[in-house]
């Protein structure tokens, strides 16, 4: 908006003409003395345009700039709040690790149906399922044990095949900002870096029941019901270690980084890992 030569009235300096302006400053000649002001903040309470049409146009500009200012402040506040939450989560995790209060079974294995596999690997998140009974029936399960130290193991089996043929098809660390006890929708998103999808050939060599034991039925490959199970942090480390050893050269570096990160987050010493002892390994 060009306001050069427009007449104005200042409540202290009287009548003057605008002689120069920029996006943030306006210069006004009051007789032989020039004064500079912040634009458009000075208009309204301190400075008034004589031309009514120009005043209306300026009012719209001021309104727009005020909206932009509020938007910037809102964005800055949201960013500040996000940083605060990240700090709280980081502090919480550091406290857990320092006090050795990490749950020994804070990993999740998910049962993926064939029709949802592509969506799982496209969106990189799984649903924890719904509560089956009680006053909260129908609401999403809250994965309370999951924290930044947790991984989600993705498994599947072909329809009609026995449960013992269940294969490991992928895995991911949970999102850096995820805390299970705060999850209301049951969706568990993946970490921005640590996520792996196995090929069909790799999955064929990674049977879930080589690693896992159902404590209620230790001699059986029994899943029963539900979309997920919690399982031992050590077992997840065993699975990741085997993936590193079976990966090709191109994928091995990423698998190794995943394994190293997981061990660090779960206070696991890689050299002290026991051998897998799942149901199928005991037969």
């Amino acid at each position: 908006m060009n306001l050069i030569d427009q007449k104005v009235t200042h409540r202290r300096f009287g009548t003057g003409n605008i002689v120069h302006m920029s996006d943030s400053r306006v210069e006004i000649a009051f007789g032989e003395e020039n004064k500079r002001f912040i634009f458009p903040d000075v208009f309204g309470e301190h400075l008034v345009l004589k031309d009514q049409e120009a005043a209306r146009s300026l009012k719209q500009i001021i309104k727009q700039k005020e909206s932009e200012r509020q938007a910037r402040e809102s964005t800055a506040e949201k960013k500040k709040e996000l940083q605060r939450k990240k700090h709280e989560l980081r502090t919480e995790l550091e406290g857990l690790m320092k006090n050795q209060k990490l749950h020994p079974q804070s990993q999740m294995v998910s049962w993926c149906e064939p029709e949802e596999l592509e969506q799982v690997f496209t969106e990189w998140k799984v649903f924890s399922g719904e509560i089956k009974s009680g006053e909260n029936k129908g609401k999403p399960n809250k994965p309370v044990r999951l924290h930044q130290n947790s991984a989600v193991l993705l498994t599947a089996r072909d329809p009609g095949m026995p449960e013992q043929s269940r294969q490991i098809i992928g895995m991911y660390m949970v999102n850096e900002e995820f805390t299970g006890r705060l999850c209301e929708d049951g969706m568990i998103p993946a970490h921005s870096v640590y996520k792996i999808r196995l090929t069909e050939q790799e999955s064929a060599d990674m049977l879930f029941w080589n690693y896992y034991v159902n404590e209620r039925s230790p001699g059986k490959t029994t899943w029963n019901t539900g979309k997920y199970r919690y399982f031992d942090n050590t077992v997840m480390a065993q699975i990741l270690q085997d993936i590193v050893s079976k990966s090709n050269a191109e994928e091995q570096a990423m698998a190794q980084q995943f394994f190293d990160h997981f061990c660090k987050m779960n206070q696991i010493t890689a050299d002290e890992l026991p051998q897998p002892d799942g149901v199928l390994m005991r037969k």
Side-chain angles (χ1 to χ4, degrees):
M1 184 178 185
N2 185 7
L3 296 177
I4 302 298
D5 293 332
Q6 288 284 345
K7 292 186 181 299
V8 296
T9 299
H10 192 281
R11 67 178 186 178
R12 177 181 175 186
F13 301 115
T15 302
N17 290 332
I18 298 176
V19 295
H20 180 75
M21 66 177 297
S22 66
D23 289 339
S24 59
R25 291 285 187 274
V26 61
E27 183 176 344
I28 302 171
F30 296 99
E32 297 181 357
E33 185 178 12
N34 286 11
K35 297 288 185 181
R36 292 182 178 180
F37 305 95
I38 296 175
F39 178 80
D41 300 20
V42 69
F43 286 92
E45 183 178 352
H46 299 285
L47 198 65
V48 178
L49 277 167
K50 293 269 189 163
D51 187 293
Q52 293 300 309
E53 185 176 348
R56 284 192 293 270
S57 298
L58 180 59
K59 185 176 181 180
Q60 291 300 315
I61 291 176
I62 294 174
K63 184 177 180 180
Q64 180 180 345
K65 284 186 174 289
E66 176 63 18
S67 296
E68 292 172 353
R69 183 190 63 79
Q70 291 177 356
R72 287 195 301 271
E73 289 182 353
S74 177
T75 300
E77 187 63 30
K78 289 179 181 178
K79 185 176 180 179
K80 184 178 179 180
E81 177 67 13
L82 181 60
Q83 290 174 339
R84 184 188 65 78
K85 288 183 178 179
K86 284 183 177 180
H87 177 73
E88 286 182 354
L89 292 173
R90 186 163 55 248
T91 301
E92 182 178 353
L93 180 59
E94 289 173 352
L96 284 170
M97 296 182 71
K98 181 178 180 180
N99 298 320
Q100 297 184 342
K101 292 181 180 179
L102 290 175
H103 196 288
Q105 292 186 329
S106 55
Q107 314 307 314
M108 175 182 286
V109 54
S110 178
W111 174 333
C112 299
E113 300 290 353
E115 61 271 15
E116 65 180 339
L117 291 183
E118 284 307 313
Q119 183 177 2
V120 167
F121 286 116
T122 299
E123 299 181 1
W124 281 102
K125 59 184 177 182
V126 295
F127 179 54
S128 61
E130 296 180 347
I131 298 172
K132 299 299 183 182
S133 60
E135 61 180 16
N136 292 321
K137 181 179 179 180
K139 293 183 179 180
N141 279 304
K142 186 177 289 190
V144 293
R145 292 190 196 174
L146 299 192
H147 215 291
Q148 288 97 327
N149 70 299
S150 303
V152 175
L153 187 68
L154 305 171
T155 71
R157 65 176 172 84
D158 292 332
M161 295 297 290
E163 177 56 34
Q164 68 184 42
S165 69
R166 179 173 297 280
Q167 298 176 353
I168 296 169
I169 58 175
M171 66 284 300
Y172 62 81
M173 295 296 294
V174 300
N175 184 272
E176 301 92 312
E177 301 172 13
F178 183 82
T179 300
R181 62 181 175 79
L182 302 179
C183 177
E184 299 294 340
D185 61 2
M187 301 305 297
I188 308 167
H191 194 280
S192 59
V193 176
Y194 300 112
K195 46 192 175 185
I196 295 174
R197 180 178 187 176
L198 301 184
T199 64
E200 289 187 13
Q201 182 178 351
E202 289 169 336
S203 293
D205 293 333
M206 296 291 296
L207 295 180
F208 171 65
W209 293 96
N210 280 339
Y211 304 90
Y212 182 75
V213 173
N214 186 334
E215 297 299 338
R216 294 183 179 180
S217 304
K220 300 179 180 179
T221 54
T222 303
W223 183 286
N224 294 327
T225 60
K227 288 285 290 182
Y228 72 88
R229 294 285 184 276
Y230 293 116
F231 68 103
D232 289 352
N233 304 348
T234 300
V235 171
M236 187 67 210
Q238 293 170 342
I239 293 170
L240 286 168
Q241 189 175 58
D242 281 356
I243 288 175
V244 172
S245 66
K246 295 177 182 180
S247 298
N248 59 44
E250 184 178 345
E251 298 171 339
Q252 196 170 49
M254 178 61 218
Q256 185 68 55
Q257 290 175 16
F258 194 144
F259 175 65
D260 293 342
H261 175 76
F262 180 86
C263 289
K264 179 180 178 181
M265 296 294 285
N266 287 278
Q267 304 174 357
I268 292 173
T269 302
D271 294 339
E272 298 177 0
L273 272 178
Q275 292 298 310
D277 190 32
V279 176
L280 298 181
M281 303 296 283
R282 301 178 181 183
K283 294 183 178 181

